[in-house]
Amino acid sequence: PGDFYLEVLDDIIPVVETKYNTYLKGMEPTLENIEATRVHRGYSGYSRGGRSTYYTFRYALPYFKWFTPMSATCDGYAISSLPTKYQGSELEAVRSTYELEDGHGSAPNEDVLRYIQDALEEFPGYDFFIYATSGMEKDRPMVYDQMTYFINSGFFSYGSDTSVNNLYYSMSRYDHTDAHSPASWFNTLRVLFH
């Protein structure tokens, strides 16, 4: 469902972070406390999970600082599945505009950038870092095109230094397979927690 991030905030984070040694341990798992510990929390996903990472960025930015979409673009899938923005026939019109097939879309990069900017307008003052990764062949053209657009937009500060930048992108030698995800997660840890 489109509001799965609510399950993460309402159920998963309170159970996991109050049981294990995290910055929330010893605190009541209220949204205020989850927000207060956001700099110690990230959201990551591979393939369709990578798209959910962008969706979580859009709707739960106050609760996460670090976002790592892997082998995924932020595209028409995210834009056209907004439950609060599009309903019924309007949703179908948006889907046809972005030529969605099987959950994949071809939203123009300027619409995708607007989607990201909407989060920052709704939740001003929250710093963030997006580390996007992709493999070769299948993913590279789409992710590379989107990251290049983001970098050239002037909206992001590009680079691997998480203290001054908010966007970084890398490409692995693996295609969109299970072999790509372990390398991506390993490199994510190296970039975010060097």
Side-chain angles (χ1 to χ4, degrees):
D3 59 358
F4 68 90
Y5 65 92
L6 293 174
E7 182 178 355
V8 172
L9 293 173
D10 295 342
D11 300 323
I12 297 171
I13 289 175
V15 168
V16 172
E17 292 196 25
T18 57
K19 180 174 181 174
Y20 297 99
N21 191 19
T22 70
Y23 286 87
L24 191 61
K25 189 170 185 170
M27 302 169 76
E28 287 294 316
T30 63
L31 287 178
E32 292 79 18
N33 287 338
I34 293 172
E35 181 178 353
T37 58
R38 74 180 288 276
V39 299
H40 305 288
R41 187 176 304 106
Y43 193 98
S44 181
Y46 178 76
S47 194
R48 189 162 294 222
R51 288 194 172 126
S52 77
T53 302
Y54 285 112
Y55 198 89
T56 300
F57 179 93
R58 172 62 185 91
Y59 290 100
L61 181 61
Y63 310 104
F64 301 89
K65 178 179 179 177
W66 312 97
F67 298 88
T68 56
M70 301 176 204
S71 289
T73 57
C74 177
D75 63 10
Y77 175 80
I79 293 169
S80 70
S81 64
L82 304 179
T84 57
K85 189 169 181 180
Y86 302 112
Q87 298 293 326
S89 62
E90 187 179 16
L91 174 60
E92 292 310 310
V94 170
R95 286 177 190 256
S96 65
T97 299
Y98 293 130
E99 301 172 9
L100 296 179
E101 296 177 15
D102 300 326
H104 299 284
S106 57
N109 284 328
E110 55 270 14
D111 288 352
V112 173
L113 181 61
R114 180 75 248 157
Y115 178 79
I116 299 284
Q117 290 170 326
D118 285 348
L120 300 174
E121 287 177 9
E122 185 173 343
F123 308 113
Y126 290 96
D127 59 339
F128 65 91
F129 191 87
I130 297 172
Y131 173 49
T133 68
S134 71
M136 300 290 278
E137 303 299 323
K138 181 179 177 184
D139 297 328
R140 181 178 179 212
M142 295 178 296
V143 176
Y144 178 81
D145 180 60
Q146 191 169 87
M147 288 298 114
T148 301
Y149 184 85
F150 285 177
I151 292 164
N152 292 332
S153 73
F155 182 75
F156 294 96
S157 171
Y158 180 79
S160 63
D161 185 343
T162 61
S163 66
V164 295
N165 303 119
N166 57 18
L167 178 68
Y168 190 58
Y169 164 72
S170 69
M171 183 180 64
S172 80
R173 67 178 188 265
Y174 298 107
D175 198 0
H176 192 99
T177 65
D178 291 343
H180 177 219
S181 57
S184 291
W185 273 303
F186 176 77
N187 289 328
T188 294
L189 293 174
R190 291 180 62 211
V191 169
L192 300 184
F193 305 107
H194 52 60

